[in-house]
Structure formats: C-alpha cells, structure tokens
C-alpha cells in the first residue's frame, strides 16, 4: 500500500454486520501484472479473469488491468466474457471452456472469441459461419500432454493441412506441470508445441500460464496468459514468491473464553487442552470458504500433516483449535498478553503475515481454491491509488 492509496469501493456485507472482511489491494494486482508482462517480453501479456477474476470481482479487476495496458482477457465461460465486455468494451476476450452451438448468437453480438478444442466444435463453428460474409474469429486449443481440452497434435496437423482458408487467430496449449521447473512433461509439451507451430505459420501462439512465464523454455511465443500469480499466488513451487500479496482475509473475534486443562474444544471433542487455554472464537468457517480441512484436529488431513491452519494477531501466529465449522473457527491465543486481543478485533487468516499459499497448504489445497471459494458474507474493501476508474 502507498500513501496515495484510496478506498475506492466497498461491496459485500455491511461492515457493522459482517463477521469477516477482505481487503483487495488493486495496486498490488497491477504491480504483479506489470512484473509478469516484463518477464513475458517481447510477448504481449493477457490476463486470466475466469471464476469472477479468481473470486475478486471482474467488475473491479478488469478496469485497473485495462488502465495498466492489458488488452486481452481469458475467461472460462461466455457469461464471464460478457461481464468483461461490460467494463472493457474494446477488450479482446477469449472463452476457454468449449463452444456450444446454441451460444453462437451471443458470439455474433458480443465479439467474444471461442477457444475451440475438438473436431466437433470446429465443424459446428464452420457450419454456423457458413452463411456469413465475414467469418467470426476463433482460437484453437491443442492438447500436448494435459489430456483435458484440445485437439490431439495429429488432429491439429491434419486440420492445418486441410483448412488453408479457415485458420484460427490464436493457437494455444496448456502446461500441466510448469510449476515444477524440471518436470519432463513440460519439456515434451514445449517441444511438441514448437513443432506444431510450424504447421500454423503466421498465427500467434500462447503456451505460458503463470508458472510458464518463469520457465526457461518459454521463448518465441506471442502471448502469455497469467492467472494466479496476478492475484498474489506462487507461480513456481520451491522458490520465493516474487508476487505481492493482493488479498487480506480477516475474521472478527466474537468471544474470548478460557478452557481448562483436560477439557476439550469443538465438535467431536478432538482437541484436548493440555493447559488452561485462552480461545478466540471467530466468525468465519467453511461457509465463507475457510476450509474445514484447515482444522487443527479431527479431520483426515491431520493424520498426514500434523499442523493445521493458523491466524495472525498482535504480531504473533495463533493456531486453530479443533475443527473449523460452518460459521465459527477457534484460535489458541494463550501466547498473547492479556488485552492484546478482544471481542471485535480481527485475526488475519491470510495476507501479508500468512501467505495465501501457506494458508492453502495448511488445508491441503492450493491458493486457487482459497481465492475462488471466498464467500459473500465478507465485507469487501478495494484499495487503489490510481486515478478514478
């Protein structure tokens, strides 16, 4: 945050009534995108804003990225694409999750571009365009090792040879293991995609997602498409995260109580207190996207990983006690001095003191899931130091 940062928007629950709050630092988001754009050069850099911009809101994220220079966006669904167009009408928007024929009128009217990933979709798109003087553009997705969406490499090569007058405007593939820099599958995917590009001469290509931008083999492609790294997530496993945290999630303390040594806490009596324990009960739970698997005890994950999640307050990390429940989570604040935490105060769940990915690991998951699971009961504050958007 900077001295010029302004509180530009408030959404979600009334702060007087909400049990938790989210602070979204749009300056950090823009700084992350600019860093990724610099690393991608000479390629242009798009932005993946599917899942409502990873849970942060297309309506807030897209305008600041547009202002920063982003002109191309990727979404999963056409409905999301329409929301991007509503706030950035001149943006180029690619829709990743396949094409259904009944949606064709929407593509005609909205200037969205589908990413076609099967021979069936290509045939359908061609048939629907048959009556048009000017054919609508599309991108082509080729599977080079993910075994998810996309034509096989052989299908794509045949298509390139048979369709001289019907070329995509963009050729893409998706990396399966780019966050593991030395994984052999990434090597094979880069090599396969490079050979494939020879059959689509003159057509722009895109392979690099967030971790792909940091991969040593990422060179010579025209468009990168970062997602989670923009939102503060780790792009590559095992190295220090170069991205700034974007989201701070906090839960409000409802009550502080003392449990006596030998007593238990929470559902299932899974947490037995080994000392007199001061407990902060906070208004957050799995209904808010704070996952039950982060519980301090009483969940299968604790059989594999000893430690559950933790919060941060008064300069210290405080562990979760017992199970995360639907609406409430308990933290052990015994290490804090009396008066350092009280009802009404906030405990950080993740942010600048507990990283998004550390919070996710404690729950046995990834930062993507925490972000996209954020519920609608939080009070949301958007901060931005740029001009009015």
């Amino acid at each position: 945050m900077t001295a010029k940062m302004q509180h530009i928007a408030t959404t979600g629950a009334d702060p007087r009534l909400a049990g938790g709050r989210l602070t979204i630092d749009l300056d950090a988001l823009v700084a992350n995108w600019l860093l990724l754009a610099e690393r991608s050069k000479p390629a242009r850099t798009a932005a993946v804003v599917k899942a409502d911009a990873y849970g942060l809101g297309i309506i807030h994220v897209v305008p600041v990225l547009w202002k920063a220079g982003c002109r191309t966006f990727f979404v999963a669904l056409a409905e999301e694409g329409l929301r991007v167009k509503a706030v950035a009408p001149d943006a180029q928007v690619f829709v990743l999750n396949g094409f259904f024929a009944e949606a064709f009128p929407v593509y005609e009217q909205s200037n969205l571009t589908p990413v076609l990933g099967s021979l069936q979709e290509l045939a359908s798109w061609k048939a629907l365009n048959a009556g048009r003087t000017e054919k609508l553009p599309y991108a082509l997705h080729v599977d080079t090792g993910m075994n998810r969406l996309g034509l096989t490499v052989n299908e794509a090569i045949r298509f390139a040879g048979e369709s001289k007058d019907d070329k995509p405007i963009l050729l893409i593939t998706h990396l399966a293991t780019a966050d593991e820099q030395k994984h052999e599958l990434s090597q094979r995917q880069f090599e396969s995609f490079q050979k494939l590009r020879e059959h689509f001469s003159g057509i722009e290509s895109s392979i690099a997602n967030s971790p792909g931008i940091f991969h040593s083999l990422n060179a010579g492609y025209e468009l990168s498409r970062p997602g989670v790294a923009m939102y503060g997530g780790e792009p590559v496993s095992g190295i220090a995260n170069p991205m700034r945290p974007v989201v701070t999630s906090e839960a409000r303390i409802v009550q502080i109580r003392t449990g006596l040594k030998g007593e238990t806490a929470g559902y299932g009596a899974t947490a037995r207190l080994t000392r007199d324990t001061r407990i902060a009960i906070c208004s957050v739970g799995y209904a808010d996207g704070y996952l039950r698997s982060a519980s301090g005890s009483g969940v299968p994950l604790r059989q594999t990983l000893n430690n559950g999640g933790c919060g941060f307050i008064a300069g210290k990390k405080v562990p979760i006690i017992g199970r995360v429940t639907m609406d409430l989570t308990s933290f052990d604040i015994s290490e804090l001095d009396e008066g350092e935490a009280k009802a009404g105060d906030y405990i950080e769940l993740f942010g600048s003191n507990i990283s998004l990915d550390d919070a996710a690991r404690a729950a046995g998951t990834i930062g993507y899931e925490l972000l996209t699971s954020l519920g609608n009961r939080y009070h949301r504050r958007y901060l931005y130091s740029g001009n009015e958007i």
Side-chain angles (χ1 to χ4, degrees):
M1 297 185 185
T2 69
K4 296 181 180 178
M5 182 166 286
Q6 304 168 38
H7 179 187
I8 64 159
T10 297
T11 64
D14 184 320
R16 299 168 301 174
L17 310 178
R21 68 185 178 193
L22 300 175
T23 303
I24 295 97
D25 182 351
L26 295 176
D27 279 342
L29 175 86
V30 168
N32 288 343
W33 183 83
L34 290 172
L35 186 153
L36 294 161
E38 184 63 30
R39 289 209 52 128
S40 298
K41 285 181 177 178
R44 302 188 327 279
T45 302
V48 179
V49 293
K50 61 185 181 176
D52 200 20
Y54 283 53
L56 304 191
I58 282 172
I59 193 173
H60 299 289
V61 166
V62 168
V64 297
L65 291 175
W66 177 268
K67 187 178 175 186
C70 184
R71 296 294 178 263
T72 303
F73 297 87
F74 284 81
V75 295
L77 306 170
E79 183 273 332
E80 295 174 329
L82 295 177
R83 284 192 277 145
V84 173
K85 284 288 190 178
V87 292
D90 297 325
Q92 183 178 43
V93 182
F94 290 98
V95 180
L96 291 163
N97 275 26
F99 168 71
F100 301 100
E102 59 265 36
F104 187 71
V106 175
Y107 286 91
E108 284 188 298
Q109 296 158 19
S110 63
N111 201 27
L112 299 176
T113 304
V115 180
L116 306 180
S118 71
L119 295 175
Q120 180 184 357
E121 288 178 1
L122 283 165
S124 177
W125 185 255
K126 182 177 180 180
L128 290 163
N129 269 281
R132 293 180 55 89
T133 347
E134 188 177 345
K135 303 295 186 282
L136 295 177
Y138 68 94
L140 185 66
H141 191 166
V142 182
D143 175 54
T144 56
M146 184 92 166
N147 266 322
R148 201 170 62 170
L149 297 179
L151 275 69
T152 67
V153 171
N154 287 337
E155 286 174 338
I157 291 171
R158 281 199 305 273
F159 175 76
E162 296 167 358
S163 308
K164 300 294 185 185
D165 300 321
D166 184 21
K167 297 292 188 184
I169 62 168
L170 180 69
L171 181 70
I172 79 167
T173 195
H174 194 64
L175 294 167
T177 58
D179 55 328
E180 300 176 47
Q181 290 277 289
K182 296 181 180 179
H183 201 290
E184 61 179 16
L185 179 55
S186 293
Q187 174 87 28
R188 294 202 304 270
Q189 285 192 268
F190 274 107
E191 290 174 356
S192 181
F193 195 58
Q194 187 60 34
K195 291 175 184 175
L196 185 65
R197 291 173 71 214
E198 297 169 8
H199 296 270
F200 289 87
S201 178
I203 293 169
E204 291 193 329
S205 59
S206 176
I207 189 172
N209 50 9
S210 288
I213 290 171
F214 292 84
H215 202 286
S216 59
L217 295 177
N218 182 45
Y221 306 102
E222 290 77 23
L223 186 69
S224 66
R225 48 182 206 276
V228 75
M230 281 194 316
Y231 306 99
E234 294 177 0
V236 181
S237 302
I239 66 168
N241 187 359
M243 317 314 298
R244 286 171 53 178
V246 173
V247 185
T248 299
S249 173
E250 299 170 289
R252 203 167 195 186
I253 298 174
V254 178
Q255 182 183 126
I256 294 175
R257 65 186 303 119
T258 298
L260 302 180
K261 181 179 178 179
E263 293 180 342
T264 61
Y267 280 128
T270 60
R272 185 165 295 278
L273 307 181
T274 58
R275 59 179 177 178
D276 290 353
T277 304
R278 283 189 298 126
I279 304 170
I281 297 94
C282 293
S283 184
V284 68
Y286 51 77
D288 306 290
Y290 197 57
L291 304 181
R292 186 176 183 271
S293 54
S295 298
S297 60
V299 294
L301 185 61
R302 297 288 77 81
Q303 297 167 18
T304 307
L305 303 174
N306 291 329
N307 296 324
C310 60
F312 187 91
I313 186 171
K316 292 182 180 177
K317 289 184 177 179
V318 291
I320 294 173
I321 293 182
R323 289 174 176 163
V324 174
T325 65
M326 183 181 292
D327 311 296
L328 296 167
T329 300
S330 296
F331 295 86
D332 182 347
I333 60 167
S334 302
E335 297 302 315
L336 301 186
D337 292 337
E338 289 283 351
E340 284 191 303
K342 62 184 183 301
D345 288 350
Y346 287 89
I347 286 181
E348 179 186 311
L349 307 176
F350 60 83
S352 56
N353 298 294
I354 298 174
S355 76
L356 169 68
D357 292 282
D358 282 346
R361 276 187 282 269
T365 187
I366 54 178
Y368 300 73
E369 186 176 19
L370 287 193
L371 288 177
T372 58
S373 298
L374 293 171
N376 58 13
R377 301 198 295 188
Y378 293 97
H379 170 64
R380 293 182 175 224
R381 305 181 302 165
Y382 289 83
L383 306 179
Y384 183 56
S385 65
N387 296 329
E388 187 175 344
I389 57 171

